[in-house]
Amino acid sequence: MQKFRKGLPESTNVFVCKNTLMRVATEIEEAGQWQLLGKDTEGDNCWVFVDENSIQDTVKHYFKFEEELFTQAKRNAAKGQEVKPPTSLTTVVMDNKLLTPQELKACEKIPTKKQLLATIASLAKQPATKVATGIKQVPTKLAVAIKQISELDEDKTKIVGSLDLPKKDA
């Protein structure tokens, strides 16, 4: 248990308490979103409370820890003996909704708040960059066109409007 706790982010809290205490705490009206936790208060339980900024790291750590325990249990088991996973999820609640273990596994891919802000910033920057590039191209193309037109005037005495420009075939 200590190994599990040490690998969690600082903002994640782990509690081991009596099931009766947890059941009583979740049955009061003020419990609100925590009422869903009270239904699976049987057997040995560990309660993990995760800050929204630590969801990805906590979920990854849990599944890695679970895999390590299972691998260790397989090693310690007698040959031919069936090994059951030593841990299991009974209740997962997020935003007042019960999640299945598969839905929790998908939370490993949830980006952090910092990653989301970086993505939004880069997406917001792209249109401005494209507009600036497009605006820069207009004067550049105009300057190139004027230079090519001026090269048609050998004695440099004419203005652009009085030059005979080559006709494009339509």
Side-chain angles (χ1 to χ4, degrees):
M1 185 58 144
Q2 292 304 319
K3 183 179 178 184
F4 177 66
R5 283 186 174 171
K6 287 179 182 178
L8 291 170
E10 284 187 32
S11 60
T12 300
N13 297 305
V14 179
F15 297 101
V16 177
C17 66
K18 294 277 189 190
N19 288 330
T20 307
L21 179 64
M22 184 57 97
R23 205 172 14 258
V24 169
T26 60
E27 287 173 356
I28 60 173
E29 286 183 37
E30 293 84 24
Q33 67 183 19
W34 306 112
Q35 289 178 341
L36 293 171
L37 290 176
K39 74 177 197 76
D40 287 316
T41 51
E42 294 179 5
D44 295 332
N45 288 303
C46 170
W47 306 94
V48 181
F49 297 91
V50 182
D51 179 65
E52 67 183 13
N53 295 324
S54 304
I55 293 171
Q56 182 186 45
D57 294 335
T58 302
V59 172
K60 281 182 179 179
H61 177 68
Y62 169 76
F63 284 110
K64 180 181 174 192
F65 181 74
E66 181 182 53
E67 183 62 35
E68 287 173 6
L69 284 179
F70 190 52
T71 303
Q72 186 178 7
K74 284 180 183 178
R75 258 189 267 133
N76 295 340
K79 286 195 175 211
Q81 181 182 2
E82 183 182 341
V83 179
K84 294 180 182 177
T87 61
S88 65
L89 295 169
T90 53
T91 304
V92 178
V93 179
M94 183 183 290
D95 285 338
N96 209 19
K97 295 177 190 165
L98 286 172
L99 299 181
T100 65
Q102 292 79 19
E103 291 171 327
L104 181 66
K105 184 80 170 153
C107 290
E108 283 184 311
K109 297 176 182 140
I110 289 178
T112 63
K113 190 175 185 179
K114 191 175 184 179
Q115 291 169 332
L116 285 174
L117 290 174
T119 302
I120 290 169
S122 69
L123 291 174
K125 184 180 168 185
Q126 281 181 352
T129 303
K130 289 179 181 177
V131 168
T133 303
I135 290 172
K136 182 182 174 204
Q137 289 300 317
V138 172
T140 303
K141 288 181 180 179
L142 183 61
V144 168
I146 291 173
K147 183 175 185 280
Q148 288 174 346
I149 291 173
S150 69
E151 289 171 353
L152 293 174
D153 182 19
E154 287 105 24
D155 62 355
K156 308 288 185 210
T157 58
K158 299 179 182 173
I159 60 171
V160 173
S162 63
L163 287 175
D164 291 328
L165 299 177
K167 303 270 188 212
K168 286 188 177 178
D169 293 334

